[in-house]
Amino acid sequence: MANWVDFWNGEQSVYVSPRHMQAYYNTLAHNIKRVVGGKRPYTLLDYGCGDAWAAGELAASGISVVLYDPVPNVAARAHTRWGATPGVRVVDSLTEMGPGSVDGILIFSVLQYVSKADAAILVRELKHYLAPGGTLYLGDIVRPDTGMIADVRALFVAGFKHGFFFDALMGLIKTFFSDYRRIRKEQGFSTYTEDEITQILVQAGYTVKRLPNLGLSPHRMTFEATSS
Ligand SMILES: C[S@@+](CC[C@H](N)C(=O)[O-])C[C@H]1O[C@@H](n2cnc3c(N)ncnc32)[C@H](O)[C@@H]1O
């Protein structure tokens, strides 16, 4: 975690400092371990894993972590970084996993890049890989009424709390002068109401429960969806 990175979505240019990243992934790892509890053995697929800096801590706690990201340069980074870590496996295709082979699937800060129609297909497809009674954790879901101000406020609050306030400010300035807004406009950015995401999950055959968000942004939403 040595440099400022082009973090989101492989191509998008939101700048996140190492200290910010560390706080982001520490919080995520801590909250995942809390919701998963002491269930071991436990296999967790991190779908759209990004840089996956939580993987080491999760694996060290006894969770078997499977990393998958469909964006080639992100997947390549995951291989390089985590390929040799005990308890972590990086897959290039979901078909490398057997049916019913994972206890939980984390989809964190990913659905904004997926259209609503594709999200409905995705959560159905992922059921195939979940063990009976397995759980999807869909987190960091952005509501349609969330403006930039809510995101900026959450960023500064987290920065103040976790000691990266100045980095957060720098990141915001760098992002402002990057291609982020143009790319976000071109590629689309999906937002969901609580009812919309619940409906998508219920229609796919999940039982849904709202949880506090697993990440650093409390105004975003997390849902626990249990496969029946
Ligand atoms: C904001 S990052 C989040 C990464 C990671 N989940 C985290 O919380 O740090 C979004 C991730 O979604 C991935 N992604 C983009 N489109 C996707 C899709 N259609 N399905 C799965 N992942 C996707 C990107 O490659 C990127 O790694």
Side-chain angles (χ1 to χ4, degrees):
M1 283 195 244
N3 296 304
W4 293 84
V5 290
D6 177 351
F7 183 51
W8 303 126
N9 206 20
E11 297 171 44
Q12 298 193 358
S13 308
V14 171
Y15 288 89
V16 179
S17 75
R19 262 182 293 199
H20 180 176
M21 276 238 271
Q22 193 140 33
Y24 177 100
Y25 284 111
N26 285 349
T27 303
L28 193 53
H30 172 83
N31 286 331
I32 291 167
K33 285 192 285 185
R34 187 172 47 75
V35 294
V36 164
K39 294 175 210 156
R40 302 288 184 275
Y42 190 96
T43 302
L44 180 77
L45 166 65
D46 187 352
Y47 179 89
C49 64
D51 282 316
W53 285 110
E57 186 175 336
L58 294 174
S61 78
I63 295 174
S64 299
V65 181
V66 182
L67 300 177
Y68 169 73
D69 201 292
V71 175
N73 62 338
V74 180
R77 286 209 299 268
H79 273 290
T80 307
R81 192 170 291 141
W82 299 111
T85 305
V88 182
R89 176 181 168 208
V90 185
V91 295
D92 292 315
S93 161
L94 294 181
T95 57
E96 289 178 40
M97 297 180 314
S101 61
V102 299
D103 301 295
I105 301 177
L106 176 70
I107 308 178
F108 194 80
S109 207
V110 170
L111 282 197
Q112 61 267 42
Y113 305 112
V114 179
S115 71
K116 285 180 189 171
D118 285 348
I121 295 167
L122 173 67
V123 296
R124 270 179 203 280
E125 283 180 358
L126 289 177
K127 269 189 109 176
H128 173 72
Y129 300 101
L130 276 178
T135 311
L136 283 186
Y137 294 100
L138 294 106
D140 231 22
I141 293 177
V142 186
R143 290 191 185 85
D145 58 1
T146 301
M148 285 280 185
I149 290 176
D151 276 334
V152 170
R153 189 190 303 127
L155 177 68
F156 284 147
V157 169
F160 191 69
K161 190 171 161 195
H162 296 279
F164 64 87
F165 184 86
F166 181 70
D167 288 354
L169 184 62
M170 291 296 290
L172 213 56
I173 293 167
K174 281 172 170 247
T175 302
F176 182 80
F177 289 105
S178 77
D179 278 346
Y180 175 71
R181 281 169 300 162
R182 179 186 59 76
I183 295 169
R184 177 167 156 164
K185 208 167 166 187
E186 278 172 15
Q187 293 193 357
F189 191 84
S190 300
T191 58
Y192 299 80
T193 63
E194 180 163 355
D195 282 351
E196 277 173 328
I197 197 75
T198 302
Q199 204 178 356
I200 287 173
L201 290 164
V202 168
Q203 279 174 359
Y206 292 93
T207 305
V208 184
K209 186 175 155 195
R210 174 90 187 268
L211 299 180
N213 194 22
L214 297 177
L216 280 180
S217 305
H219 61 294
R220 295 190 174 189
M221 302 184 289
T222 287
F223 295 87
E224 182 184 72
T226 306
S227 171
S228 42

